[in-house]
Amino acid sequence: LRAVGQSVDATSCAADCSALSSVAVAPSYCSTGVAADAVLSVVKLPSSGRPGVAGTGSSCAHDQNGRPLWLVFALLKPINRLESRSLAENVASLRSVVLHEIIHGLGFSHSFFNYARDSEGRRRHLIALSRVYDADGEE
């Protein structure tokens, strides 16, 4: 594995996966590929310092149509409590976080919807900036 902060050749295959997502990319990925539709990497990064943020989900490599080929789930939640729990308890407590973040990696995020295109290649403008008001009328 590559250490966080270690230099990466920016021209290498899947450079974003190494440089931005701290993922180890085997040379065979770029030369022979993998027998799968997508790759999922799980990394443990330092805690974000933001209460309630247990992880992030993204993608770091895409095909010619922008579909994600390499998904990254980054666990931010401290793991010191995992040791004191059973496997069943850990699975139950992390299942929804993992599924939620993998869905982000598959493209369900505002940045992907913002660039959605129709069958003619035109932008669909699925996201619009709008004013939002609270129930009491405050902006």
Side-chain angles (χ1 to χ4, degrees):
L1 291 174
R2 186 182 67 75
V4 175
Q6 182 179 347
S7 66
V8 174
D9 177 5
T11 62
S12 69
C13 170
D16 284 347
C17 294
S18 296
L20 302 175
S21 300
S22 300
V23 171
V25 179
S28 62
Y29 173 78
C30 302
S31 59
T32 58
V34 294
D37 293 328
V39 173
L40 170 65
S41 288
V42 178
V43 296
K44 173 62 181 104
L45 298 178
S47 175
S48 68
R50 296 175 71 194
V53 178
T56 64
S58 61
S59 53
C60 59
H62 304 86
D63 71 7
Q64 67 276 12
N65 297 310
R67 292 178 294 216
L69 296 174
W70 200 313
L71 313 176
V72 180
F73 167 63
L75 181 64
L76 302 174
K77 187 176 188 171
I79 60 172
N80 57 349
R81 286 190 232 145
L82 298 179
E83 298 171 349
S84 63
R85 294 180 179 169
S86 70
L87 176 60
E89 289 171 318
N90 284 324
V91 168
S93 71
L94 292 172
R95 181 187 311 269
S96 62
V97 172
V98 172
L99 291 173
H100 176 97
E101 300 306 343
I102 288 173
I103 289 170
H104 281 308
L106 289 170
F108 290 89
S109 71
H110 72 282
S111 60
F112 284 105
F113 287 120
N114 195 38
Y115 298 104
R117 303 205 174 262
D118 65 17
S119 61
E120 304 288 321
R122 296 179 300 252
R123 292 256 324 263
R124 294 182 61 195
H125 302 287
L126 296 174
I127 298 177
L129 184 60
S130 301
R131 286 187 184 239
V132 177
Y133 298 92
D134 290 339
D136 63 3
E138 291 292 317
E139 191 172 351

